[in-house]
Amino acid sequence: MLFSLIIPVYNRPDEIDELLESLTKSDYNEIYEIVIVEDGSTMRCQDIAQKYGDRLDISYYYKANSGPGDSRNYGMKKARGDYFIIFDSDCIIPNQYLTEVEKALKQKYVDCFGGPDKALDSFSDIQKAINFAMTSFLTTGGIRGGSEKIDKFQPRSFNMGLSKKAFEASQGFGNIHPGEDPDLSIRLWNLGFETRLFSKAFVYHKRRIDWDKFTVQVNKFGKARPILNSWYPQYNKLTFFFPTVFIIGFFFSIFLLIFNQDLLLKLYLIYFVVLFLLSTYQNKSFKIGYLSLIAVWKQFYGYGFGFLKSYVKVIILKQKPEEAFPELFFKI
């Protein structure tokens, strides 16, 4: 089995440098290739790719900007391998990653897998706080931390494997972004393919975002979910409504104070205290524990209101997703 590592990149040569440097330390002894797809960048990483040319088998392609999903498809079409592994450019790959993937595939082959993400000690405090929000089982991010059902896992495209057979049958990613990865997972299920979580195949996801960018990102996640629910209603879950209910409930708890009713607000307080203690313990830092509260609030607030806005437009008012939220669709 030949692995082809597919890495789309947009104006991030420094990230590609770190990612490739991490791959030079891999303990995997078999041949594999790396396919870098420059998605219309003005800051190109071709020189970075050439820098590692004597240590890694790298192919570099430049194309017009059409979004990460189409760039991944482009890379898979160019790749030589029969199994594709997809990374975001802001990932750092542990040395045992490919060995763990090969081991998992030999134990129980699957045509599509996903792995969780973790934070390195070298990451900034805000990056660690965002990582906590996106991976903790106490938040909506538990799936990224590996708590989602293993045999019905929706892989995320920052750390994802896809067989050539599954890619050719599904034609890869669609033009929605974000949301292109669960969309692909569901289409694969409908085609008869299975997906699975490889819990030991984790990456260090650097998350190059500040607070404002994080809020925008999770807001888009929230907008994408009702669109996916409208396409695939059989996979709708009540848990998708949780962030919206959480935020509305919080503001309602503030309103109840007018009537001297503080029980609901106390429950929210207990929840945030538990979050603070858990993050402080996991990260061994009171500061990161505090920053995690900000990250979780922004996660719920951004996703919750994004979901609500999209639900009203797409589900209730029956607007076409491409017209209601053109910012979520790339023109291919």
Side-chain angles (χ1 to χ4, degrees), residues 4-8 33-37 57-59 61 75 78-79:
S4 293
L5 279 51
I6 313 298
I7 309 168
E33 68 164 339
I34 301 167
V35 180
I36 297 174
V37 181
D57 181 357
I58 302 175
S59 299
Y61 299 95
K78 295 290 186 180

Side-chain angles (χ1 to χ4, degrees), residues 277-314:
L277 293 175
L278 180 61
S279 179
T280 297
Y281 172 77
Q282 289 183 351
N283 293 287
K284 297 178 175 56
S285 167
F286 286 104
K287 180 181 179 182
I288 297 175
Y290 164 71
L291 292 174
S292 295
L293 298 184
I294 299 175
V296 170
W297 172 256
K298 287 183 176 292
Q299 180 187 36
F300 279 116
Y301 185 89
Y303 188 105
F305 280 110
F307 182 95
L308 180 61
K309 184 177 181 180
S310 182
Y311 187 86
V312 170
K313 287 190 173 186
V314 175

Side-chain angles (χ1 to χ4, degrees), residues 2-276:
L2 175 61
F3 290 140
S4 293
L5 279 51
I6 313 298
I7 309 168
V9 58
Y10 180 72
N11 287 337
R12 299 290 175 177
D14 291 344
E15 290 178 353
I16 289 295
D17 197 359
E18 286 186 302
L19 193 159
L20 295 178
E21 176 62 31
S22 69
L23 286 172
T24 64
K25 302 172 184 176
S26 173
D27 65 8
Y28 187 65
N29 294 320
E30 303 299 324
I31 296 173
Y32 67 94
E33 68 164 339
I34 301 167
V35 180
I36 297 174
V37 181
E38 193 92 64
D39 186 26
S41 302
T42 57
M43 298 170 56
R44 301 192 185 189
C45 66
Q46 187 172 11
D47 291 345
I48 302 297
Q50 292 175 348
K51 169 183 169 183
Y52 292 92
D54 60 339
R55 288 176 285 171
L56 299 169
D57 181 357
I58 302 175
S59 299
Y60 170 90
Y61 299 95
Y62 181 90
K63 53 177 278 297
N65 180 256
S66 59
D70 186 55
S71 295
R72 297 179 193 116
N73 292 343
Y74 182 95
M76 287 186 280
K77 291 175 182 177
K78 295 290 186 180
R80 307 191 310 270
D82 49 12
Y83 209 101
F84 310 126
I85 298 177
I86 302 163
F87 296 131
D88 279 356
S89 64
D90 57 349
C91 289
I92 295 173
I93 315 304
N95 67 321
Q96 77 280 6
Y97 178 91
L98 291 174
T99 301
E100 293 292 347
V101 169
E102 183 179 61
K103 186 187 305 181
L105 287 173
K106 286 182 177 179
Q107 288 175 348
K108 185 179 178 182
Y109 183 85
V110 69
D111 284 285
C112 182
F113 76 85
D117 62 324
K118 298 184 179 182
L120 279 170
D121 290 339
S122 59
F123 288 4
S124 72
D125 289 343
I126 290 179
Q127 286 174 327
K128 291 176 182 177
I130 290 175
N131 183 78
F132 175 83
M134 296 293 282
T135 61
S136 174
F137 67 94
L138 290 176
T139 71
T140 58
I143 43 178
R144 291 172 177 263
S147 67
E148 190 176 0
K149 186 177 178 182
I150 290 177
D151 290 321
K152 205 64 174 176
F153 183 66
Q154 293 184 4
R156 273 60 178 179
S157 50
F158 67 86
N159 177 12
M160 179 180 187
L162 184 68
S163 72
K164 183 176 182 178
K165 178 182 177 181
F167 168 66
E168 291 177 343
S170 64
Q171 297 300 303
F173 296 93
N175 67 330
I176 188 173
H177 177 72
E180 71 273 23
D181 25 25
D183 169 59
L184 176 56
S185 294
I186 293 171
R187 287 190 286 110
L188 288 171
W189 296 340
N190 291 341
L191 288 167
F193 293 99
E194 295 182 358
T195 62
R196 191 151 56 92
L197 169 67
F198 289 0
S199 57
K200 293 184 179 180
F202 65 88
V203 299
Y204 299 111
H205 200 184
K206 198 168 186 179
R207 305 192 189 284
R208 55 178 178 257
I209 39 187
D210 57 28
W211 290 130
D212 291 337
K213 291 179 180 178
F214 179 58
T215 302
V216 171
Q217 183 187 53
V218 293
N219 183 257
K220 287 184 176 181
F221 288 158
K223 290 176 181 177
R225 180 52 66 179
I227 295 174
L228 295 173
N229 292 345
S230 71
W231 292 347
Y232 312 107
Q234 68 273 35
Y235 296 106
N236 195 0
K237 298 179 182 179
L238 286 176
T239 51
F240 295 152
F241 291 82
F242 178 68
T244 300
V245 173
F246 181 92
I247 291 298
I248 293 175
F250 178 81
F251 288 116
F252 183 65
S253 72
I254 301 296
F255 173 75
L256 288 178
L257 293 178
I258 299 175
F259 305 99
N260 294 320
Q261 300 293 321
D262 62 355
L263 176 60
L264 185 57
L265 186 61
K266 286 179 178 178
L267 293 176
Y268 275 93
L269 178 61
I270 291 171
Y271 173 73
F272 280 109
V273 168
V274 172
L275 284 177
F276 172 77

